[in-house]
């Protein structure tokens, strides 16, 4: 296991983990001074290109920006989002993840979803590719107006179930995006691996 990932795991229940986003070398240099994790998010589509959806972000976009970010990252764990439509099958997930790692020299990739993409996640981890999970609001597949998740008992149970499934299949951390505070707390307390909050609560790791 990557020594940086081991360091992230060791912080669970001991100290807060700082995850920041960067899209270029200059920002990455500043982020890297403070962050445990530097994430190259597909949010670059809306932040830099004014796309109305992350679905428009391409693999080339992610690789180009990640190569720039890599030049600024020296100490933090670098994680790159796999964009929409790049992990529809085990083979496409592996080929695209391998391409991202090879061309960007990142430490891990992040995929959105739980049970629906568990086969792809299992396959990547079997192939020795480190994976960060992502639950809650899933911008790549969300329909209509974005809404926070984990408000109902049913949603909460499903999120916890998916989180435990991801953990049991080897992801080293899980992003919880726009998850209700009480639900984020339950998920975080249910896991042995860290949770990273994006628009979620202080109860995340």
């Amino acid at each position: 296991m990557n020594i940086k990932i081991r360091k992230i795991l060791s912080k669970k229940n001991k100290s807060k983990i700082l995850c920041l986003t960067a899209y270029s070398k200059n920002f990455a240099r500043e982020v890297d001074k403070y962050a445990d994790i530097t994430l190259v998010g597909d949010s670059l589509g809306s932040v830099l290109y004014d796309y109305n959806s992350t679905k428009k972000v391409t693999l080339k976009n992610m690789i180009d920006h990640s190569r720039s970010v890599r030049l600024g990252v020296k100490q933090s764990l670098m994680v790159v989002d796999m964009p929409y439509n790049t992990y529809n099958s085990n083979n496409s997930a592996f080929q695209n993840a391998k391409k991202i790692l090879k061309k960007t020299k990142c430490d891990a990739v992040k995929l959105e979803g739980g049970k629906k993409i568990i086969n792809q996640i299992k396959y990547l981890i079997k192939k020795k590719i480190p994976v960060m999970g992502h639950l809650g609001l899933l911008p790549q597949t969300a329909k209509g107006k974005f809404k926070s998740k984990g408000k109902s008992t049913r949603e909460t149970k499903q999120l916890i179930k998916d989180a435990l499934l991801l953990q049991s299949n080897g992801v080293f951390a899980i992003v919880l995006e726009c998850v209700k505070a009480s639900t984020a707390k339950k998920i975080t307390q249910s896991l042995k691996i860290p949770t990273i909050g994006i628009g979620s609560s202080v109860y995340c790791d």
Side-chain angles (χ1 to χ4, degrees), residues 112-114 134-143 146 149 177:
E112 292 184 11
H134 182 139
L135 296 173
L137 175 64
L138 308 177
Q140 291 181 5
T141 53
K143 295 178 181 178
F146 286 176
K149 303 297 179 179
E177 182 167 0

Side-chain angles (χ1 to χ4, degrees), residues 155-168:
E155 269 190 353
T156 298
K157 286 182 177 178
Q158 187 58 53
L159 283 168
I160 294 172
K161 191 174 180 181
D162 276 342
L164 290 170
L165 180 65
L166 291 180
Q167 175 178 260
S168 67

Side-chain angles (χ1 to χ4, degrees):
M1 183 185 290
N2 184 310
I3 191 169
K4 292 179 182 179
I5 291 178
R6 271 202 216 106
K7 184 180 177 182
I8 300 298
L9 290 169
S10 72
K11 289 196 168 193
K12 177 77 178 182
N13 298 323
K14 292 179 182 176
S15 61
K16 284 292 184 182
I17 296 164
L18 182 60
C19 177
L20 296 171
T21 302
Y23 307 123
S24 66
K25 177 186 70 174
N26 293 339
F27 281 105
R29 279 178 177 165
E30 294 306 309
V31 164
D32 191 54
K33 295 175 185 177
Y34 310 100
D36 297 295
I37 301 169
T38 298
L39 173 66
V40 187
D42 60 1
S43 51
L44 63 84
S46 55
V47 176
L48 301 181
Y49 296 99
D50 202 28
Y51 294 161
N52 61 8
S53 169
T54 57
K55 290 181 181 181
K56 295 181 180 180
V57 176
T58 66
L59 188 64
K60 185 179 185 300
N61 288 150
M62 294 307 302
I63 289 173
D64 287 345
H65 283 278
S66 298
R67 288 176 70 180
S68 177
V69 168
R70 178 76 268 176
L71 297 174
V73 172
K74 304 302 179 186
Q75 61 184 23
S76 56
L77 180 80
M78 182 176 160
V79 181
V80 175
D81 267 344
M82 291 194 68
Y84 179 65
N85 262 350
T86 61
Y87 49 99
N88 292 332
S89 67
N90 288 359
N91 186 59
S92 66
F94 177 59
Q95 293 303 324
N96 289 320
K98 187 168 67 168
K99 189 174 184 180
I100 289 171
L101 265 70
K102 181 180 179 181
K103 295 203 169 190
T104 72
K105 304 292 190 270
C106 68
D107 299 295
V109 293
K110 179 168 75 66
L111 284 70
E112 292 184 11
K115 186 179 179 181
K116 289 182 179 179
I117 60 162
I118 199 60
N119 288 333
Q120 291 94 311
I121 288 174
K122 285 167 69 175
Y123 192 70
L124 290 182
I125 291 170
K126 180 183 176 183
K127 293 288 188 178
K128 310 297 183 187
I129 294 177
V131 176
M132 176 183 277
H134 182 139
L135 296 173
L137 175 64
L138 308 177
Q140 291 181 5
T141 53
K143 295 178 181 178
K145 189 177 179 181
F146 286 176
K147 296 178 181 178
S148 60
K149 303 297 179 179
K151 291 181 177 180
S152 68
T153 301
R154 182 181 177 183
E155 269 190 353
T156 298
K157 286 182 177 178
Q158 187 58 53
L159 283 168
I160 294 172
K161 191 174 180 181
D162 276 342
L164 290 170
L165 180 65
L166 291 180
Q167 175 178 260
S168 67
N169 283 283
V171 304
F172 67 87
I174 300 174
V175 162
L176 299 180
E177 182 167 0
C178 294
V179 173
K180 185 181 175 184
S182 58
T183 301
K185 184 177 182 179
K186 287 177 183 176
I187 295 170
T188 301
Q189 291 176 340
S190 299
L191 299 175
K192 294 178 181 178
I193 59 173
T195 57
I196 308 296
I198 297 180
S200 289
S201 75
V202 293
Y203 297 117
C204 293
D205 294 297

